[in-house]
Amino acid sequence: MAQPKKAASIWDVARLAGVSHQTVSRVVNGSPRVAAATRDKVLDAIAELGYRPNRLARSLAGGAVESVTVLTADTSLYGPEAALRGIEKAARSLDWSVQISVLDPADTHSDADIVARLPRAGEPTIIMAHDEPGMRAKQVLLDTQPQAMVAIGPYTAEELAASPWLVGMDDGKAAAEATKYLLDLGHRTVHHLAIPTSTGTFGGGKAHRAEGWARVLREAGREVPDPVPSGWTISEAFKAVQPLVADPSVTAILCGNDNLALGTMRAAHLAGRSVPGDLSIVGFDNTPFSAYTTPALTTVNQDFESVGRGAFELLRHRVDGSNPRPKPSWPEPELIVRETSGPPRSRS
Amino acid sequence: MAQPKKAASIWDVARLAGVSHQTVSRVVNGSPRVAAATRDKVLDAIAELGYRPNRLARSLAGGAVESVTVLTADTSLYGPEAALRGIEKAARSLDWSVQISVLDPADTHSDADIVARLPRAGEPTIIMAHDEPGMRAKQVLLDTQPQAMVAIGPYTAEELAASPWLVGMDDGKAAAEATKYLLDLGHRTVHHLAIPTSTGTFGGGKAHRAEGWARVLREAGREVPDPVPSGWTISEAFKAVQPLVADPSVTAILCGNDNLALGTMRAAHLAGRSVPGDLSIVGFDNTPFSAYTTPALTTVNQDFESVGRGAFELLRHRVDGSNPRPKPSWPEPELIVRETSGPPRSRS
DNA sequence: CCGAGTGATGTTAACGATCACTTATATTAT
DNA sequence: ATAATATAAGTGATCGTTAACATCACTCGG
């Protein structure tokens, strides 16, 4: 039944309580310099008017910042989605608000476009830098407001050392482990169905997972087959992986993520190849569905939610330096062996 | 290399261009009352300083609103996530910004807590009202700022007529169709693995999908088995559905969403029941993975993204009345028959 | 040749808060 | 009693923008 008139401001509260607006501000912000009696009067007035501070005005006036903007390209991907969840949780616990803005890979964003996403100059920002638009945005903000940005992405130890604004996991190492596991199982080599690289064009930019995989094969003296490029979606993977499942000499495929693995399983099934008998499949990310496919997917667990939280903490540190520089702290990627991987069928 | 000094304001631009700040404002907002020469001067100054308007200040000053807050309980669910994507796209195309705030089902939010999520009183808000916290938030905002809120949720025709702030799909009808389909296939009855109801306690609140299912069974004069309550996650479904898959008299299960269906498929597999031979399974939502499970899941497609876009348009209409009252326009839910459903094995 | 109309700018006052001071009152020390 | 010091509350400026109104220089019709 509230009249849709207009919200109460700090002045309305002050008038009703018979004090100055500044005193109201003190009460709202929990200043100790206010008499108990006055505080109660103000609190009553606040309750009666249903007053609540306008955050916009607050941050305009130079109060606490209390907001983060997340720039991401693909919210339907499990990784970014989980990381976003982590950011949101961490932010909420401190009463920060979270804005999201999606970078559409379809349209080309000028640098100005990207910056225009932010509600104001210097807005604290977290970028999901796992693909081309994300990398682009990362670069723009790095040039514009390096102190108020953090990027989430895969990294190598050297990259992390060089980039105090980077948070993420060592994808290369995780991929290496998974590859080693398959080799130890007795596979002659391991094929790779790869997620798009950060530059969009395969072979161009960084591809941490692919690099880790290739390194292990090289070190083991095995043949390094050409990685097969795929898009992010299951259906793209399904199409891309066809030549691999059709080739009986392929006995193990490391997939760039669980979506790709699911597409691969389906393709293998339709091609009449049994998993893991004829073909071992390993995914990446430990997406919720991966434990419930049949056969259940062997994959690499990644705690994206913790990474998101870590990114938020780092950002907070960089923006106001209040909290101590947080150390990245989350479980290392870990191989979870389920049912889609096994030794190759002994040949001849 | 930008000095992290401080962002340029409209005054800085004005000074550099040798005009008043208001003229800059006119240029920025595309007012026609500005001489071409002046406009150019201002534009140059803007470019030189890298100026961009501060949205906070803008909306404080009574400018266009340009922001929506989305209140949701579970971003990991496909429906809300897709709807959020739709909202974000629609918002972005109009240069609105999107805030999200997650209602944690774990903690109990007081009404004040919920309102405190909003950056300011009267903030345009979209609520995902598919569970208890969402319904609660819906009610609070309905009391507080009915003009600036829209809820997304399942509805029946009557509910929609009564609630000009509601957007969503007719889940009951969709569930009815799926049930009818299974009955037509020859199943004696259809069991139901149900998502949590909007009040959290099963049997309490609305459960549109369950109602549609039950109605069809009743109308067909079939036995209406007790629906089996499940949580939202695959693992909860896997546990909850055990009695159903263990019972050989159960030949068809309508699942409240595709996650539950996946859990059911897995449970059926482990129980040694073949799908669809021994057991038909139908899901809900047409989650991306559903086409790629083996066997591929029969499910009900829902265009959540369009619903999200519709919610945004409706909100915009309600907030400023500028655009015409949008009519809900998106595809009806549609049954997609794939491989998990078929006629029951002829008994005896 | 002058008042009205028009187009391009400038001026001032919000918007809703915080911050840095200043002032008034109460308490304590000398 | 008086100065020194806390403590409580008020005043005014400020943040970056927009809205509303004021001003100024022209042009035009009578």
Side-chain angles (χ1 to χ4, degrees):
Chain A
M1 282 305 119
Q3 68 286 38
K5 267 303 154 216
K6 157 164 27 182
S9 83
I10 202 167
W11 285 95
D12 301 320
V13 175
R15 195 172 316 120
L16 181 60
V19 299
S20 79
H21 70 279
Q22 177 61 1
T23 299
V24 177
S25 174
R26 288 195 186 96
V27 170
V28 169
N29 295 305
S31 157
R33 305 255 101 112
V34 43
T38 313
R39 167 178 288 107
D40 288 348
K41 267 193 307 186
V42 171
L43 254 20
D44 286 350
I46 287 180
E48 182 171 343
L49 295 175
Y51 164 80
R52 54 217 185 67
N54 181 323
R55 288 183 154 217
L56 305 187
R58 179 176 289 181
S59 44
L60 220 209
V65 177
E66 299 194 330
S67 83
V68 213
T69 294
V70 178
L71 256 32
T72 181
D74 202 333
T75 49
S76 61
L77 237 46
Y78 176 68
E81 187 260 315
L84 176 58
R85 200 161 50 232
I87 293 169
E88 203 280 339
K89 274 188 191 168
R92 182 152 37 86
S93 72
L94 262 66
D95 258 308
W96 284 41
S97 65
V98 178
Q99 274 213 176
I100 68 164
S101 189
V102 174
L103 304 163
D104 191 337
D107 37 82
T108 50
H109 305 285
S110 73
D111 291 6
D113 280 350
I114 290 172
V115 171
R117 300 297 185 92
L118 307 184
R120 61 172 173 199
E123 165 83 1
T125 306
I126 296 176
I127 303 127
M128 308 277 184
H130 57 93
D131 58 1
E132 201 275 328
M135 295 300 282
R136 178 77 177 274
K138 183 209 72 184
Q139 196 51 53
V140 171
L141 290 199
L142 209 46
D143 292 343
T144 316
Q145 45 173 62
Q147 286 309 312
M149 63 83 74
V150 159
I152 295 181
Y155 65 77
T156 60
E158 311 88 69
E159 288 169 329
L160 186 66
S163 320
W165 41 264
L166 184 62
V167 158
M169 305 215 228
D170 195 340
D171 271 15
K173 199 171 130 206
E177 238 168 80
T179 308
K180 212 167 297 171
Y181 159 77
L182 286 165
L183 252 28
D184 288 350
L185 239 31
H187 293 273
R188 185 191 285 281
T189 189
V190 174
H191 289 252
H192 181 47
L193 183 66
I195 52 178
T197 64
S198 49
T199 58
T201 53
F202 193 84
K206 293 279 181 179
H208 293 78
R209 295 180 184 183
E211 278 169 14
W213 157 80
R215 180 166 45 77
V216 166
L217 290 183
R218 266 195 313 273
E219 286 172 5
R222 306 304 173 85
E223 175 203 357
V224 182
D226 287 340
V228 175
S230 163
W232 292 105
T233 64
I234 309 180
S235 65
E236 287 170 303
F238 179 78
K239 279 183 212 116
V241 81
Q242 293 300 337
L244 248 32
V245 298
D247 179 351
S249 77
V250 173
T251 65
I253 303 179
L254 175 66
C255 297
N257 72 29
D258 288 349
N259 274 353
L260 308 200
L262 185 60
T264 302
M265 285 172 67
R266 179 69 177 171
H269 171 77
L270 295 184
R273 303 198 65 198
S274 80
V275 175
D278 297 329
L279 182 64
S280 283
I281 297 174
V282 172
F284 227 102
D285 293 353
N286 195 25
T287 309
F289 69 70
S290 62
Y292 294 92
T293 57
T294 296
L297 189 58
T298 293
T299 187
V300 177
N301 183 55
Q302 308 236 57
D303 190 352
F304 289 112
E305 208 172 306
S306 295
V307 170
R309 180 172 30 236
F312 175 76
E313 286 306 332
L314 178 58
L315 181 66
R316 206 157 67 86
H317 167 75
R318 289 174 60 78
V319 165
D320 59 16
S322 61
N323 58 336
R325 169 83 154 93
K327 283 276 147 226
S329 72
W330 46 82
E332 288 278 300
E334 182 196 9
L335 184 71
I336 298 183
V337 176
R338 288 199 275 245
E339 306 165 356
T340 56
S341 54
R345 212 154 259 176
S346 61
R347 32 191 141 57
S348 102
Chain B
M1 279 304 120
Q3 68 287 35
K5 268 303 153 218
K6 157 165 25 184
S9 82
I10 202 169
W11 284 96
D12 301 320
V13 175
R15 196 173 316 121
L16 181 60
V19 298
S20 78
H21 71 282
Q22 177 63 345
T23 299
V24 177
S25 174
R26 289 196 183 93
V27 171
V28 169
N29 296 308
S31 156
R33 306 256 102 114
V34 180
T38 313
R39 168 178 287 108
D40 289 348
K41 268 193 306 185
V42 171
L43 254 20
D44 286 351
I46 287 179
E48 181 171 343
L49 294 175
Y51 163 81
R52 54 214 186 70
N54 181 323
R55 289 185 152 214
L56 306 187
R58 179 175 290 181
S59 42
L60 219 209
V65 178
E66 299 194 329
S67 83
V68 213
T69 294
V70 178
L71 255 32
T72 179
D74 202 332
T75 49
S76 61
L77 237 45
Y78 176 68
E81 187 259 316
L84 176 59
R85 200 161 49 232
I87 293 169
E88 203 280 338
K89 274 188 191 167
R92 181 150 40 84
S93 72
L94 263 66
D95 258 308
W96 284 41
S97 65
V98 179
Q99 272 212 178
I100 68 165
S101 188
V102 174
L103 303 163
D104 191 337
D107 37 82
T108 51
H109 304 286
S110 72
D111 291 7
D113 279 351
I114 290 173
V115 171
R117 299 298 185 93
L118 307 183
R120 61 172 172 199
E123 165 82 1
T125 307
I126 295 176
I127 304 127
M128 308 279 186
H130 58 92
D131 58 3
E132 201 275 328
M135 295 300 282
R136 177 78 178 274
K138 184 209 71 184
Q139 196 51 54
V140 171
L141 290 200
L142 210 46
D143 292 342
T144 317
Q145 46 172 62
Q147 286 309 312
M149 63 83 76
V150 159
I152 295 181
Y155 65 77
T156 60
E158 311 89 68
E159 289 170 328
L160 185 65
S163 321
W165 40 263
L166 184 61
V167 157
M169 307 216 228
D170 196 340
D171 272 14
K173 197 169 132 208
E177 240 169 78
T179 307
K180 212 166 296 168
Y181 159 76
L182 286 167
L183 252 29
D184 288 351
L185 239 31
H187 293 274
R188 185 191 287 279
T189 189
V190 174
H191 289 253
H192 182 48
L193 182 67
I195 53 177
T197 63
S198 50
T199 59
T201 53
F202 193 83
K206 294 277 182 178
H208 293 78
R209 295 181 183 182
E211 277 168 15
W213 157 80
R215 179 165 47 77
V216 167
L217 291 183
R218 265 195 316 273
E219 286 172 5
R222 306 302 173 86
E223 174 202 358
V224 182
D226 287 340
V228 176
S230 164
W232 292 103
T233 65
I234 309 180
S235 64
E236 287 170 303
F238 179 78
K239 279 183 212 119
V241 81
Q242 292 301 336
L244 248 33
V245 298
D247 178 350
S249 75
V250 174
T251 64
I253 303 178
L254 174 66
C255 297
N257 72 28
D258 287 350
N259 275 352
L260 308 200
L262 186 60
T264 301
M265 285 173 67
R266 179 68 178 171
H269 171 77
L270 295 184
R273 304 199 64 198
S274 79
V275 175
D278 298 329
L279 181 65
S280 283
I281 296 173
V282 173
F284 226 102
D285 291 353
N286 194 25
T287 309
F289 68 70
S290 62
Y292 294 92
T293 56
T294 297
L297 189 58
T298 294
T299 186
V300 177
N301 183 53
Q302 308 237 55
D303 190 353
F304 289 112
E305 209 171 305
S306 294
V307 170
R309 180 171 30 231
F312 175 75
E313 287 307 333
L314 178 57
L315 182 66
R316 204 157 69 85
H317 166 75
R318 290 174 59 78
V319 166
D320 59 16
S322 60
N323 57 335
R325 169 84 155 94
K327 285 274 149 227
S329 72
W330 45 82
E332 288 278 301
E334 182 196 9
L335 184 70
I336 299 183
V337 176
R338 289 199 275 245
E339 305 166 356
T340 56
S341 53
R345 213 156 258 173
S346 61
R347 31 191 142 59
S348 107

